[in-house]
């Protein structure tokens, strides 16, 4: 069968003349007060059902949209329906006492395994390689952030302006807390103040580039044979990097709230304590520091595996998660497309869960168990790197997994200082080694106790409370993100929705004589998120993390669920559009209206986040006459040897009757099909429609709408 043409795409091509708008802006010549009365009545009647749907969506997981087949193909009864079943965890069968015993046994087993490893092998070279890898991860993270920081949090120009956050940061620094927490939070406040000073020309991007310079210097120290000076310099560098990245975590808020951000902070916190121990004179302290990283590696992988089953997501328990993961993940690449349409995805899901749950347990079984676990972890992490765009997460995870090795297994070692020390120097080094060994041991005990609290929280049982000491220690470290719980891909979304922003412009139509002007909707592109159905999904090679593109993946999750539930409750699409535009601001994050306003005002720092446009030059284009934000349903386009409707059956096509095939093919006429993607406007509902005032002109009307946003 042939693909429908671009012009037949649902919702119209971006280059077509705007159809009659729904919602508050039904006409470009009518203010919102003159909207059709029947539509206003529908919006009022929809208010109660919308509130119910919003509350129901808030109570459920935002990641569990359910299969969107029914929403996309309402005419076919064979398309999978929305999955609204209550999630039941398989760990509900375990009593709280069993979960508590397992958590204690895991921490005790890891500690005994660490003691056995310390008594047999050296770990100084491993620690030096880990510190080098963390410094490299910092460099990649700051370099990626430097390209986006001004548009994200730049004072008065970003979509989350830092100057508006300063009162909250100042108040946070004054909150009574432990001395170490208060000291770090004051340092965070000082970093933010440096950017927001009126007389200072320091921008967030300048701070990020400073972090890149410190990271490169710290990594370069690993190639020197300076001994104690190298260790002290690296300690100072890691302390500066940790405070600066923690400051960005608080300054950027939503845009630095991903799990790899807190993973980098936790690694940086351990690195500050481990750097003084990275010399040949402190083998025991170096080994204990490596054990802390080993516990982190265990926690990262094991918690991610347990969370998949504890979440109650049936896609993981039935091992069908990979049928959805490749095309619903935030930023897929072209390898994701090939992986989705080829390979045994059930075996891949079984392998992922097995590696994450049973692999970490191999750490408890001696050296060969750790070696096997290391290769299992690296294989899993590399597969994630190849089939998705997750920034520096893959590199940092591999660095953490190096803690499973010992010095004799490394093929590369950094240079060590020559052993020409005097007797006094050796005695001093021995005394310092004992002191650092005590400090490293105390830190490992602290880290283990906080991990007990996290392991108990992992089972998601309300009656399973951690011991008071563990809970108190975790509460002390939580503001510093020094000990975190991880749950990578705990739930799998079974549909993919994207918000599409369109601007209304006047264009000259040269096909008529004489030439005339007409209004045309122009779609805006984001550099990395799906939009153009013909554009190949990009592969970000060097650890770049497009923060805005990533965050925009989360925005449609709740919106789509609210829309589906509201229409299921009997609301009309017109009433849903009106309610979304007029009475549902709580559905959108605080930065969303600011983003739209900054785009309309052509803020250069924000336009840089979008990247080059295929339909318009935003830097030179005038302010738009209108703005429209719509929800689109995206799916991977099937290969040439598969029918197009194969995209609607991720778990395999059932036997379809000719009548069912005909119904689906008729529905496919509403889809825009390209080389890599296929999409349609979701239920033809506009999330936002704004037109400029006819009296005030385009610029005046747009400024008014931007101020309202």
């Amino acid at each position: 069968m042939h693909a429908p043409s671009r012009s037949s795409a649902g919702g119209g091509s971006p280059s077509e003349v705007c159809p009659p708008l729904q919602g508050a802006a039904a006409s470009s010549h009518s203010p919102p007060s003159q909207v059709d009365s029947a539509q206003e009545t529908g919006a009022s009647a929809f208010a109660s059902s919308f509130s119910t749907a919003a509350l129901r969506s808030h109570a459920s997981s935002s990641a569990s949209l359910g299969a969107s087949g029914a929403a996309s193909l309402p005419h076919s009864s064979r398309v999978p329906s929305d999955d609204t079943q209550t999630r039941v965890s398989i760990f509900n069968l375990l009593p709280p006492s069993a979960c508590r015993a397992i958590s204690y046994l895991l921490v005790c087993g890891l500690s005994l395994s660490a003691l056995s490893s310390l008594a047999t092998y050296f770990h100084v070279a491993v620690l030096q390689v880990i510190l080098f890898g963390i410094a490299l991860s910092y460099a990649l993270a700051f370099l990626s952030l430097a390209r986006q920081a001004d548009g994200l949090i730049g004072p008065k120009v970003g979509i989350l302006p830092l100057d508006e956050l300063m009162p909250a940061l100042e108040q946070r620094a004054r909150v009574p807390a432990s001395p170490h927490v208060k000291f770090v939070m004051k340092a965070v406040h000082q970093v933010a103040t440096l950017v927001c000073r009126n007389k200072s020309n320091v921008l967030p991007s300048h701070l990020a580039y400073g972090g890149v310079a410190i990271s490169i210097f710290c990594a370069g120290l690993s190639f020197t044979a300076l001994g104690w000076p190298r260790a002290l310099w690296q300690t100072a560098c890691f302390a500066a990097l940790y405070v600066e990245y923690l400051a960005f975590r608080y300054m950027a808020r939503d845009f630095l709230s991903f799990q790899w951000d807190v993973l980098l902070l936790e690694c940086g916190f351990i690195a500050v304590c481990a750097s003084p121990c990275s010399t040949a004179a402190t083998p025991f302290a170096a080994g204990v520091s490596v054990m802390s990283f080993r516990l982190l590696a265990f926690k990262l992988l094991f918690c991610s595996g347990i969370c998949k089953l504890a979440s109650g997501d049936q896609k993981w328990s039935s091992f069908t998660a990979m049928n959805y993961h490749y095309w619903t993940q935030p930023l897929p690449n072209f390898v994701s497309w090939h992986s989705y349409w080829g390979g045994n995805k059930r075996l891949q899901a079984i392998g992922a869960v097995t590696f994450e749950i049973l692999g970490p347990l191999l750490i408890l079984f001696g050296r060969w168990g750790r070696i096997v676990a290391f290769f299992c972890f690296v294989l899993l992490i590399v597969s994630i790197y190849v089939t998705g765009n997750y920034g520096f997460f893959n590199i940092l995870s591999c660095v953490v997994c190096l803690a499973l090795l010992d010095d004799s297994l490394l093929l590369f070692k950094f240079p060590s200082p020559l052993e020409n020390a005097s007797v006094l120097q050796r005695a001093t080094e021995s005394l310092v080694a004992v002191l650092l060994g005590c400090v490293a041991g105390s830190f490992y005990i602290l880290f283990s106790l906080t991990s007990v609290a996290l392991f108990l929280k992992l089972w998601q049982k309300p009656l399973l409370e951690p011991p008071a000491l563990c809970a108190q220690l975790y509460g002390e470290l939580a503001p510093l993100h020094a000990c975190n719980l991880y749950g990578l891909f705990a739930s799998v979304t079974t549909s993919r929705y994207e918000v599409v922003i369109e601007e209304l412009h006047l264009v000259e139509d040269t096909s008529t004589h004489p030439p005339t002007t007409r209004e045309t909707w122009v779609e805006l592109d984001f550099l990395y998120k799906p939009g153009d159905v013909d554009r190949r999904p990009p592969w970000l090679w060097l650890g770049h993390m497009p923060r805005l593109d990533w965050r925009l993946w989360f925005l449609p999750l709740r919106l789509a669920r609210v829309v589906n539930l509201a229409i299921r409750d009997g609301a009309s699409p017109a009433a849903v559009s009106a309610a979304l535009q007029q009475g549902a601001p709580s559905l959108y994050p605080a930065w969303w209206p600011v983003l739209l306003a900054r785009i309309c005002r052509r803020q250069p720092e924000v336009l840089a986040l979008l990247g080059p446009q295929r339909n318009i030059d935003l830097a030179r284009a005038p302010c738009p006459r209108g703005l429209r934000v719509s929800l689109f349903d995206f799916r991977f386009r099937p290969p040439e040897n598969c029918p197009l409707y194969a995209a609607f059956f991720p778990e395999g096509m059932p036997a379809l009757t000719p009548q069912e095939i005909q119904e689906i093919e008729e529905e496919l006429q509403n889809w825009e099909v390209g080389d890599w993607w296929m999409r349609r406007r979701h239920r033809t509902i506009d999330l936002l429609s704004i037109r400029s005032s006819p009296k005030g002109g385009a610029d005046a009307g747009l400024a008014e709408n931007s101020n309202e946003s």
Side-chain angles (χ1 to χ4, degrees), residues 232-433:
L232 296 178
W233 273 107
Q234 283 191 325
T235 302
C237 290
F238 278 120
L241 292 172
Y242 170 76
V243 171
E244 184 176 354
Y245 204 80
L246 183 64
F248 270 109
R249 166 67 185 91
Y250 278 100
M251 292 188 298
R253 290 158 283 178
D254 290 353
F255 296 104
L256 256 76
S257 61
F258 303 110
Q259 294 195 50
W260 33 89
D261 292 316
V262 295
L263 176 62
L264 182 57
L265 285 172
E266 187 168 351
C267 289
F269 185 82
I270 300 176
V272 173
C273 303
S275 297
C277 310
S278 60
T279 64
T282 57
F284 176 77
V288 175
S289 300
V290 171
M291 296 307 109
S292 298
F293 284 109
R294 186 175 296 178
L295 179 57
L296 174 57
F298 178 90
K299 183 173 61 174
L300 174 65
L301 275 300
F302 184 76
C303 291
S304 298
I306 293 297
C307 281
K308 289 177 173 57
L309 302 181
S311 66
D313 191 341
Q314 296 182 2
K315 302 306 177 184
W316 280 116
S317 58
S318 62
F319 301 111
T320 58
M322 303 308 293
N323 295 76
Y324 301 90
H325 166 74
Y326 290 119
W327 60 281
T328 63
Q329 61 180 318
L331 295 181
N333 56 33
F334 64 90
V335 182
S336 309
W337 187 92
H338 292 284
S339 300
Y340 175 69
W341 293 112
N344 191 323
K345 289 180 279 294
R346 179 177 291 272
L347 287 180
Q348 295 171 11
I350 294 175
V353 175
T354 302
F355 283 1
E356 289 182 347
I357 296 180
L358 299 183
L361 298 179
L362 294 175
I363 300 176
L364 306 176
F365 296 96
R367 188 190 193 200
W368 285 106
R370 293 194 300 272
I371 294 175
V372 175
F374 171 77
F375 283 106
C376 290
F377 293 169
V378 171
L379 178 62
L380 177 64
I381 294 170
V382 170
S383 65
I384 295 174
Y385 168 74
V386 171
T387 59
N389 293 309
Y390 295 93
F392 57 86
F393 162 72
N394 309 97
I395 297 175
L396 183 59
S397 300
C398 288
V399 169
V400 173
C401 291
L402 288 173
L404 303 180
L405 305 179
D406 54 72
D407 289 359
S408 62
L409 297 174
L410 291 183
L411 301 178
F412 170 80
K413 297 180 182 180
F414 289 108
S416 300
L418 299 177
E419 297 183 0
N420 55 358
S422 63
V423 176
L424 180 60
Q425 289 176 331
R426 291 180 180 179
T428 304
E429 289 179 351
S430 300
L431 181 61
V432 173

Side-chain angles (χ1 to χ4, degrees), residues 103 176 204 481 488 546 587 592 617 619 666 672 699:
S103 301
H481 295 287
L488 304 175
L587 287 176
W592 172 246
D617 185 358
E666 291 177 357
E672 180 183 0
D699 295 342

Side-chain angles (χ1 to χ4, degrees), residues 591-632:
W591 52 266
W592 172 246
V594 183
L595 170 65
L596 299 180
R598 296 280 194 259
I599 293 176
C600 292
R601 293 173 179 174
R602 304 301 188 238
Q603 191 69 44
E605 293 83 359
V606 175
L607 296 183
L609 298 176
L610 275 65
Q613 302 292 314
R614 57 190 165 98
N615 299 319
I616 187 175
D617 185 358
L618 287 178
R620 299 180 179 180
C623 293
R625 300 172 60 86
L627 192 68
R628 181 172 69 182
V629 181
S630 304
L631 197 64
F632 275 73

Side-chain angles (χ1 to χ4, degrees), residues 29-72:
H29 303 290
S30 301
S33 59
Q34 298 179 5
V35 179
D36 183 74
S37 59
Q39 183 168 307
E40 289 185 350
T41 304
S44 301
F46 169 65
S48 59
S49 62
F50 182 85
S51 301
T52 303
L55 291 175
R56 196 185 315 169
S57 173
H58 180 70
S60 61
S61 172
S62 62
S64 59
L65 288 178
S68 63
S72 303

Side-chain angles (χ1 to χ4, degrees), residues 6 531-537 637 672-677:
R6 301 290 190 277
D532 182 8
V533 293
D534 289 321
R535 185 180 63 184
R536 188 181 74 169
R637 185 199 191 280
E672 180 183 0
V673 181
D675 296 333
W676 294 90
W677 294 96

